[in-house]
Structures are given as structure tokens and as C-alpha cells.
Amino acid sequence: MSTEPVIAQKAPYAAEVVGGKDYWWCRCGQSKKQPYCDGSHKGTAFAPVKYTAEKDGKVWFCGCKQTSRQPMCDGTHSKI
């Protein structure tokens, strides 16, 4: 079982969100519905991260899965 997530992409995912709605960010990197969880983590040590949008608008979800601000991009992808 891998202890490191798969790098889905070396850039953030831009997403339009709705205030008050919950989103489940893929932590393992294996989801086919990036940046969202599709259950591909089952059987691994990973679990999705819940994100509740504060307001309507665009957010940037981490694509490299290395961010220190899960689930938001912190620019770590530029160092990979």
C-alpha cells in the first residue's frame, strides 16, 4: 500500500463552487473525477478531504496532492 498520493497533475484545478455546499477533494490522486473523490481510495490509507464553500465563486483545488493547505493549492506544484 502506497503512503504517497499519486500526483494527478502539476497544476491546480480551477472549480466553480456554490456557497454552503460540501465538496470532497481527492487526496489519493487516483480519482477519475479530479479534483473530486470517486471512491478510488478504497483499500488505501487515504480518505477524501471535505471542503465547504464559504461563498459562490472560483477556488483552486490542489492537483499535485502535496499542498500544506488541503484541499487548496499552495503553489507546491511549482517545486515538484
Side-chain angles (χ1 to χ4, degrees), residues 10-79:
K10 291 183 181 177
Y13 288 95
E16 290 292 331
V17 296
V18 176
K21 184 175 177 184
D22 293 335
Y23 297 86
W24 293 92
W25 176 69
C26 169
R27 175 72 185 99
C28 72
Q30 298 181 62
S31 174
K32 302 291 187 252
K33 296 182 178 181
Q34 292 293 335
Y36 307 112
C37 177
D38 69 359
S40 293
H41 65 277
K42 290 192 180 8
T44 73
F46 296 101
V49 175
K50 181 180 177 182
Y51 170 75
T52 304
E54 294 178 12
K55 59 183 180 179
D56 293 0
K58 184 182 281 190
V59 297
W60 300 91
F61 287 107
C62 176
C64 73
K65 311 303 177 183
Q66 309 298 313
T67 184
S68 63
R69 293 183 36 218
Q70 295 181 6
M72 300 289 98
C73 175
D74 68 358
T76 299
H77 63 274
S78 64
K79 299 174 188 148

